[in-house]
């Protein structure tokens, strides 16, 4: 409870910081930071980047060249032919045609290279970051995981990575466009400096307009995106709670709640549409106006004789060609703010320090393990320890029940014994060895913990039981038999090779728990820890499991968290926890006699029954009384 | 590769399963659109005006070619430029450009407004209809699919309307006006241009299929990546406990690399198809120049018209370049639309009766008359169950897992209808009772106490929206939960987190119970409603329930036999039949299922 509530608080905080990150930041510094993020990618993939930029530069240059080819064709092939009406132009005509097609082939090659290489670069960076982030997840200690909400970690590895490398897709094109613009500027100046002035007015205006467009659009688009996620959340939650909605007849209220979100999304999308609707036609109109200006100015220049008709055609054509690519600059800039935020979140994960340190000791000894906890203290929040001063000792081969009310720290204790977490103070030892001194893989080789929350991988039954361990089928079946899972597994379509679906979706809760149990048993651990690991299993089945364990567990020391008397009855001794401290430790009978809290907890049902029997007696007495009255 | 194949295989069976009851009529694209438009009249709202604006907006595209042609043929005719003519022509064109831009703006805004309004309504309708479907249709496997019917599928339509649909309108308009103007200038050159572009148009659908297949692969791998990544997060404890970090890392790598390869492949296909149009355009330009000069020499085309032709050819490029992507989107949108309509077409199998009976308040009597039930395509799970529960009885239902207890509860609350026989409440067939009356009077507390991401008070208030905080507090006190409430950090304002996950499973059950109690039903049905609560609390709760159900009819499905002991009567289920019925004291004396259950339970609690 305490752990989760801090989590939700944290996620709120992170949501707030997200908001502030969106609204804050002078635009220039975001741009600078964005370029720095791009720099990271360029340093990581210099070869691909260079090739992509070269291809894009080819594309940019050839775009300008194609207008030049057209101008040349006009002046050298078209106009002379019309003027002279002769066959003389045939040679020039063919040359012009070859010229045009040749330029187009080079341009196409540039486009192809640009697109493919830009994709390669973006996908490589995404894959690289995803691997790095998930490596961190696997490396960082569980305590770090406890501090970060699941949803946040998932989006760090997914949407944040995508956002961080979003600008890489249009980046080479943008660089190519810059090449294109410079070449075009030079070409137009060479043709006619006065016409060039028109271009120098129009193209910066297009770039600027596009920048304003992307700036206006991007927050609206992000809002729409967020609302889309919210609509989906409401639907998920409402359908997941369908049984409650139905049984309480709240369908209309839920529909109204959903419609409110859907309407918000509608308004957000319409707002996006209004901005797009305004800027798209404007961006289209600007270069058209530019061409018209060229015609007007060009006509005057033609009159003064400083321009040829072909030049006019060339410049007009160039304007129509440049109008669209120039927007790529805006795409990159628009992606930058998201990229900066995404990358900073990815970096937070990559920069997280602290991993479990391992020693060199081994726990290879044969037979059941001896377990000791010495003055152990642990807290998810530094200020609020969940366990305090916990000391106890379990002799090899014994079965110990850990009993205590909800929230007394039982699960935390099991995680310490399996070294999923390290104590803040104190030591956990197996066979006298501090768990922190054990080599990597040593603890998981000797200790098997079955967690309260069953987790199955999207794998086969076999894969889920062995988790990659090389185990013959007979041993798997033996473990399944002991976990009372043999029956349903052999009834599955492909037996051990049946896939269980994501998180074991195709199995029932009890079946999943039994597979998780088999996973622990197949390892023949020296210490077996069960954290309320049979809660979803039928009582009758549970009984068979526990009896089986009892018979087979001579090879293991067993620590089992339990409420149920049946489980406790199988234990040699009991560790009774209350509010994070060991209140008592000893055989069940002794605790029953001397520990009041323990007695109250484990005998609740019995006492209830006894009281009911008394109450029944009273009722019976009363009825006797009334009978007597009647008789009297 | 094999991983993908297997996944694809699984996906197919999942979909197939999902479609068993979700009707997805095999409609053609046209039928889907027609049917969809019928259901969303907003789409057609002002459509004629929007299309007219679209035509005007696309006319803007041919202004430049016309201007170029006019300037060259008339302004520059005879060697010296006719500057006043050119000025007038250019100004006229500029005005036309601004007007067409205005038309474009108006068209966009109208289009967005009508489509988004239609889609918001469609979402709402779909959502409401999903809630109207019975629990059979919305069982957990399909829930994800149902969510995407009202979210992702509609988003796809929306994305198409906002980009693809618009692009199609503009592209078609562009091709039509360009062709029309070309034909005016020279039919022979027009023919030449079409001969160049026609092959591209013919192979486009094939390209599009390739692209679409490639994207499907990318999506499949993306799903694998999501699953692998989430395993590393959600399964972090298990991974550490069993030292399977390396194994997990390998799985992630496989998925991440697979996704990267699939993405690269898709990009390659597009990378090759995209510039093809560019080259064809160049061939067309070269051809037009060569043929055009010959025609010009023969006097059948002016130089201005010929050069305008070159500008007109550029109008062919972008429609063809974006066609594959647009077709892809169109395909997705229609598939999405078809799925949404499929949900709306699925009849609500448990429906609110038209003139439903309203039951008077007061303890409810229940009668099952030869009720049988089978899940669709499954064997019967209830056989011929007949039982009467008199008003005010507190009935316990016991039996092993799978004996039919929960089915009994779902039938009694009309989450499903029986396949045979009938159920009467206060003498009225359940199917004739209005939903509002039914939900008010019969309330079930399911085993999984689902909570919404809101405060504790809001969750309890879900049972009775008009309840004040005081009433909620009182309800908790009456249930003996005042101490628990006082122990919570923010009391009634405590946020419960997503799906109530900030609370323990036992606490969630307490909230669910309070929620149902606050609804103040006349029949309270508890389906193992306190199974996750610790023994001491459960005993206290049982005692409180004892007093609050007095004067109501109560049916509790029990996992602990102490509940049965406290009840007025016990129903014992086995293999879908009621095998025993009577007070605990009697049943426990008889040889039979109940006595066995009780003995095994008694040994478990150690008495």
């Amino acid at each position: 409870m305490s752990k989760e509530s801090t989590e939700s608080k944290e996620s709120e905080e992170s949501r707030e910081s997200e908001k502030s990150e969106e609204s804050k930041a002078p635009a220039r510094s975001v741009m600078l930071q964005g370029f720095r993020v791009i720099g990271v990618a360029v340093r990581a993939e210099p070869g691909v980047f260079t090739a992509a930029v070269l291809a894009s530069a080819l594309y940019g240059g050839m775009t300008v060249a194609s207008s030049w080819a057209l101008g040349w064709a006009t002046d050298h092939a078209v106009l002379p032919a019309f003027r002279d009406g002769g066959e003389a132009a045939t040679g020039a005509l063919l040359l012009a045609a070859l010229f045009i097609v040749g330029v187009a082939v080079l341009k196409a090659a540039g486009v192809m290279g640009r697109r493919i290489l830009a994709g390669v670069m973006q996908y490589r960076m995404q894959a690289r970051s995803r691997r790095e982030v998930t490596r961190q997840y696997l490396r960082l200690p569980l305590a770090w995981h406890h501090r970060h909400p699941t949803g946040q970690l998932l989006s760090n590895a997914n949407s944040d990575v995508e956002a961080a490398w979003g600008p890489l897709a249009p980046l080479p094109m943008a660089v190519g466009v810059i090449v294109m613009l410079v070449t075009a500027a030079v070409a137009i100046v060479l043709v006619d400096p006065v016409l060039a002035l028109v271009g120098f007015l129009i193209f910066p205006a297009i770039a600027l307009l596009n920048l304003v467009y992307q700036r206006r659009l991007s927050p609206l688009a992000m809002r729409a995106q967020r609302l889309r996620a919210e609509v989906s959340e409401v639907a998920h939650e409402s359908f997941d709670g369908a049984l409650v909605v139905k049984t309480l007849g709240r369908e209309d209220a839920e529909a109204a709640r959903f419609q409110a979100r859907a309407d918000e999304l509608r308004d957000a999308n319409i707002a996006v549409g209004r901005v797009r609707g305004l800027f798209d036609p404007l961006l289209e109109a600007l270069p058209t106006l530019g061409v018209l200006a060229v015609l007007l100015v060009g006509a005057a220049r033609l009159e003064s004789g400083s321009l040829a008709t072909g030049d006019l055609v060339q410049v007009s054509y160039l304007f129509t060609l440049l109008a669209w690519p120039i927007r790529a600059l805006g795409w990159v800039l628009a992606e930058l703010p998201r990229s900066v935020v995404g990358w900073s979140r990815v970096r937070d994960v990559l920069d997280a320090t602290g991993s479990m340190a391992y020693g060199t000791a081994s726990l290879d000894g044969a037979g059941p393990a001896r377990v000791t906890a010495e003055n152990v203290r642990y807290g998810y929040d530094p200020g609020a320890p969940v366990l305090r001063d916990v000391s106890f000792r379990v002799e090899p081969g014994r079965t110990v029940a850990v009993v205590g009310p909800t929230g007394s720290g039982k699960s935390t204790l099991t995680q310490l014994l399996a070294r999923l977490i390290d104590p803040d103070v104190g030591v956990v030892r197996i066979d006298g060895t501090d768990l922190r001194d054990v080599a990597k893989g040593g603890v998981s080789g000797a200790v098997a913990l079955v967690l309260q929350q069953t987790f199955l991988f999207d794998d086969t039954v076999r894969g889920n039981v062995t988790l990659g361990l090389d185990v013959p089928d007979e041993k798997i079946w033996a473990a399944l038999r002991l976990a009372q899972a043999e029956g349903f597994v052999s009834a599955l379509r492909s037996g051990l090779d049946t896939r269980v679906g994501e998180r074991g979706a195709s199995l029932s809760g009890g079946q999943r728990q039994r597979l998780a149990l088999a996973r622990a048993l197949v390892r023949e651990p020296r210490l077996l820890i069960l954290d309320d690991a049979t809660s979803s299993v039928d009582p009758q089945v549970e009984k068979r499991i526990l009896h089986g364990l009892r018979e087979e567990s001579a090879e293991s020391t067993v620590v089992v968290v339990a409420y149920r008397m049946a489980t406790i009855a199988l234990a040699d001794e009991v560790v009774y926890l209350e509010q994070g401290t060991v209140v008592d430790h000893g055989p069940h009978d002794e605790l029953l006699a001397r520990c009041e809290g323990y007695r109250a907890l484990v005998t609740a049902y019995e006492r209830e029954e006894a009281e009911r029997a008394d109450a029944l007696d009273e009722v019976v007495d009363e009825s006797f009384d009334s009978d007597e009255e009647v008789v009297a | 590769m094999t991983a993908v194949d297997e996944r694809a295989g699984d996906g197919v069976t999942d979909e197939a399963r999902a479609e068993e009851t979700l009707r997805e009529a095999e409609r053609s694209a046209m039928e889907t659109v027609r049917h969809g438009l019928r259901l969303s009249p907003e789409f057609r709202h002002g459509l004629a005006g929007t299309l007219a604006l679209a035509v005007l907006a696309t006319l803007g595209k041919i202004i430049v070619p016309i201007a170029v042609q006019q300037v060259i043929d008339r302004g520059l005719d005879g060697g010296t430029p006719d500057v006043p003519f050119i000025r007038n022509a250019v100004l006229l064109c500029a005005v036309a450009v601004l007007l067409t831009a205005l038309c474009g703006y108006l068209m966009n805004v109208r289009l967005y407004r009508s489509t988004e309004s239609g889609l918001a309504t469609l979402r709402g309708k779909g959502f409401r209809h999903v809630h109207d479907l019975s629990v059979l249709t919305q069982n957990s496997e399909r829930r994800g699919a149902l969510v995407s019917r009202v979210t992702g599928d509609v988003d796809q339509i929306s994305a198409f309307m906002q980009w693809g649909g618009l692009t199609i309108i503009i592209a078609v308009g562009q091709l039509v006006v360009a062709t029309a103007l070309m034909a005016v200038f020279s039919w022979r050159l027009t023919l030449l241009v079409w001969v160049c572009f026609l092959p591209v148009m013919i192979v486009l659908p094939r390209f599009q299929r390739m692209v679409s297949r490639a994207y499907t692969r990318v999506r499949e791998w993306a799903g694998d990546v999501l699953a692998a990544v989430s395993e590393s997060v959600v399964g972090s404890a298990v991974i550490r406990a069993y030292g399977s970090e390396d194994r997990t890392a390998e799985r992630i790598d496989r998925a991440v690399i697979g996704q990267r390869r699939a993405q690269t492949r898709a990009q390659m296909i597009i990378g090759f198809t995209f510039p093809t149009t560019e080259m064809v355009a160049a061939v067309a330009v070269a051809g037009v120049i060569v043929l055009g000069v010959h025609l010009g020499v023969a006097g059948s085309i002016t130089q201005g018209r010929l050069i305008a032709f070159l500008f007109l050819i550029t109008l062919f490029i972008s429609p063809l370049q974006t066609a594959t992507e647009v077709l892809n989107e169109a395909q997705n949108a229609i598939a999405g639309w078809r799925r949404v309509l499929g949900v709306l077409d699925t009849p609500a199998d448990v429906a609110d009766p038209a003139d439903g009976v309203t039951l008077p308040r007061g303890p409810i009597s229940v009668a099952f008359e030869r009720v049988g039930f089978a899940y669709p395509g499954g064997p019967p799970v209830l056989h011929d169950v007949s039982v009467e529960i008199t008003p005010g009885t507190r009935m316990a239902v016991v039996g092993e897992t799978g004996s039919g207890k929960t089915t009994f509860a779902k039938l009694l609350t009309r989450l499903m209808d029986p396949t045979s026989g009938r159920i009467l409440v206060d003498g009225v067939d359940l199917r004739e009772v209005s939903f509002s009356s039914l939900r008010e009077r019969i309330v079930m507390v399911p085993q999984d106490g689902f909570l919404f991401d809101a405060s504790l008070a809001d969750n309890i208030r879900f049972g009775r929206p008009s309840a004040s905080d005081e009433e909620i507090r009182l309800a908790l006190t009456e249930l003996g939960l005042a101490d628990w409430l006082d122990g919570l950090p923010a009391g009634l304002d405590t946020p419960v987190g997503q799906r109530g996950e900030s609370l323990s499973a036992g606490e969630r059950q307490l909230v669910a119970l309070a929620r149902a109690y606050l609804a103040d039903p006349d029949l309270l049905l508890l389906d193992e409603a306190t199974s996750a609560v610790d023994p001491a609390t459960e005993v206290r709760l049982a005692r409180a329930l004892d007093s609050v159900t007095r004067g109501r009819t109560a049916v509790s499905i029990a996992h602990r036999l102490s509940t049965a002991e406290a009840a007025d009567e016990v129903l014992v289920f086995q293999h879908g039949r009621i095998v025993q019925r009577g007070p605990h004291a009697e049943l426990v004396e008889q040889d039979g299922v109940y006595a066995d259950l009780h003995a095994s339970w008694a040994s478990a609690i150690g008495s």
Side-chain angles (χ1 to χ4, degrees), chain A residues 36 42 87 96 191 256 268 312 538 544 564 611:
Chain A
R36 232 169 270 150
V42 172
E87 301 292 311
V191 168
L312 193 58
D538 243 355
R544 288 200 290 275
R564 300 195 205 180
E611 278 169 32

Side-chain angles (χ1 to χ4, degrees), chain A residues 1 4 70 74 78-79 81-82 85 93 97 100 104 107-108 112 115-116 120 123 126-127 130-131 134-135 137-138 140 142 145 150 154 157-158 228 232 236-244 246 248-252 254-255 257-259 265-266 269 273-274 276-278 281 284-285 288 291-292 295-296 299 302-303 316-317 406 420 444 449 451 455 457-459 463 467-468 499 503 519-520 523 538 543 565-566 604-606 608-609 611-612, chain B residues 6-7 61 64 67 76 81 83 86-87 90 93-94 97 101 105 108 112-113 116-117 120 123-124 127-128 130-131 133 138 143 147 151 155 162 226 229-231 233 235-238 240-243 245 247 249 251-253 256 259-260 263-264 267 270-272 274-275 278-279 282 285-286 289 293 296-297 301-303 307 310-311 314 401 415 439 443 446 450 452-453 462 465 499 501-502 515 534 538-539 543 560 562 565-566 601 603-605:
Chain A
M1 160 81 223
E4 267 108 356
L70 206 67
T74 308
V78 179
L79 295 183
F82 275 85
L93 209 53
I100 288 169
K107 182 180 170 189
M112 211 180 285
R115 285 191 76 112
I116 293 173
V120 166
Y123 306 144
Q126 281 179 359
R130 278 214 177 99
R131 288 169 73 179
T134 48
R135 283 292 188 289
Y137 289 167
L138 294 172
L140 289 165
L142 202 58
H145 279 264
T150 307
L154 292 180
N158 295 309
R228 216 167 288 141
S232 166
H236 255 293
E237 185 181 59
S238 191
F239 293 169
D240 277 353
L243 205 54
V244 174
K246 247 187 220 307
L248 290 170
R250 294 293 304 276
E251 290 95 334
D252 287 333
E254 283 297 289
R257 183 164 79 105
F258 179 81
Q259 191 68 57
L265 174 60
R266 175 199 63 202
N269 277 336
R274 205 167 286 133
R276 281 200 186 166
L278 177 64
E284 198 123 330
T288 310
V291 173
L292 293 176
L295 291 179
L296 193 62
L302 277 174
E303 193 180 27
S316 313
Y317 195 71
T406 315
L420 294 189
S444 58
L449 165 63
L451 292 147
F455 181 87
F457 295 88
D458 180 9
D459 199 342
L467 291 183
R499 292 189 80 88
R503 310 243 192 300
R519 174 193 290 165
R523 292 174 154 63
D538 243 355
K543 204 161 141 188
M565 264 318 292
Y605 294 143
E606 286 173 67
E608 184 203 16
E609 205 156 326
E611 278 169 32
R612 183 167 317 105
Chain B
E6 281 169 23
R7 171 159 289 272
K61 307 268 183 186
V64 163
L76 301 178
V83 174
I86 292 176
R87 192 175 50 226
V90 162
C93 286
V97 165
Y105 169 70
N108 275 321
Y112 268 85
R113 194 173 292 145
E116 286 301 322
S117 303
R123 269 184 224 277
F127 179 90
R128 186 65 175 82
V130 169
H131 269 309
L133 297 173
Q138 20 155 275
R143 218 163 272 152
V147 170
T151 57
D155 286 340
Q162 287 171 17
L226 268 180
V229 167
S230 79
E231 278 185 354
V233 173
S236 55
V238 170
R240 275 161 189 75
Y242 291 90
E245 287 92 345
R247 188 177 141 82
R251 293 165 72 98
I252 294 172
D253 284 357
V256 165
Q259 186 192 21
R260 199 198 68 205
Q263 284 172 323
T264 309
Q267 189 67 17
I270 297 175
F272 278 109
F274 201 74
E278 201 85 54
M279 291 205 285
V285 166
I289 288 179
V293 165
V297 170
I301 189 169
T302 64
Q303 43 182 315
I307 287 171
L310 305 180
F311 281 80
T314 59
T401 310
L415 292 173
R439 301 303 181 213
V443 168
F450 183 90
F452 293 83
D453 186 5
F462 206 80
R499 286 162 182 65
E501 275 161 10
S502 299
R515 173 168 65 193
D534 76 67
E538 188 172 23
V539 166
R543 228 169 269 157
R560 300 184 309 117
S562 58
E565 290 172 20
W601 184 74
S603 81
I605 68 158

Side-chain angles (χ1 to χ4, degrees), chain A residues 54-336:
Chain A
L54 286 178
S56 188
L58 180 66
Y59 148 74
M62 286 305 120
T63 303
V64 179
S66 67
S67 75
W68 187 50
L70 206 67
W72 189 88
T74 308
D75 274 347
H76 294 87
V78 179
L79 295 183
F82 275 85
R83 201 167 41 238
D84 309 334
E87 301 292 311
T90 310
L93 209 53
L94 285 179
L95 199 60
L98 275 180
F99 196 19
I100 288 169
V101 173
V103 165
V105 167
L106 287 178
K107 182 180 170 189
V111 171
M112 211 180 285
R114 182 198 81 208
R115 285 191 76 112
I116 293 173
L117 291 167
V120 166
M121 175 145 174
Q122 188 192 18
Y123 306 144
R124 279 198 186 178
M125 288 312 291
Q126 281 179 359
R128 174 195 297 252
S129 295
R130 278 214 177 99
R131 288 169 73 179
E132 284 172 355
V133 165
T134 48
R135 283 292 188 289
Q136 277 290 85
Y137 289 167
L138 294 172
R139 191 183 66 81
L140 289 165
L142 202 58
W144 184 88
H145 279 264
H146 287 154
R147 285 197 304 272
H148 294 83
T150 307
Q152 186 190 322
L153 296 186
L154 292 180
S155 67
N156 285 157
N158 295 309
S159 53
D160 288 340
V161 167
E162 261 157 45
W165 304 125
L168 295 182
L171 179 67
M173 166 119 180
V175 175
V177 166
I178 291 173
V179 171
M180 188 190 297
L181 286 178
V182 172
T183 326
V186 172
I188 305 181
V189 169
L190 285 180
V191 168
D192 185 68
V194 178
L195 275 187
L197 270 183
V198 177
F200 291 153
L201 282 177
I202 290 289
F203 288 107
I206 294 178
L208 196 69
L209 188 67
N210 194 35
L211 189 60
V212 174
Y213 176 23
Q214 300 296 350
R215 278 277 156 76
R216 293 264 311 268
L217 186 65
S218 143
L220 292 175
M222 267 158 92
R223 189 179 132 73
Q225 182 66 39
R226 200 164 44 232
L227 284 168
R228 216 167 288 141
E230 276 175 29
V231 164
S232 166
E233 269 165 35
V234 171
H236 255 293
E237 185 181 59
S238 191
F239 293 169
D240 277 353
L243 205 54
V244 174
V245 174
K246 247 187 220 307
T247 52
L248 290 170
R250 294 293 304 276
E251 290 95 334
D252 287 333
E254 283 297 289
R257 183 164 79 105
F258 179 81
Q259 191 68 57
R261 285 302 159 89
D263 287 350
E264 260 185 87
L265 174 60
R266 175 199 63 202
D267 294 342
N269 277 336
I270 291 177
V272 166
R274 205 167 286 133
V275 171
R276 281 200 186 166
L278 177 64
F279 281 89
D280 278 340
L282 274 185
L283 281 168
E284 198 123 330
L286 254 186
T288 310
L289 292 176
V291 173
L292 293 176
V294 164
L295 291 179
L296 193 62
V297 175
R301 302 289 291 164
L302 277 174
E303 193 180 27
S304 71
S306 49
L307 197 71
T309 310
D311 296 335
L312 193 58
V313 171
Q314 178 192 340
V315 175
S316 313
Y317 195 71
L318 189 55
F319 273 34
T320 56
L321 288 183
L322 285 181
W324 188 73
I326 202 168
R327 297 195 196 179
L329 296 176
W331 300 336
V332 173
L333 295 179
E335 291 275 346
L336 287 186

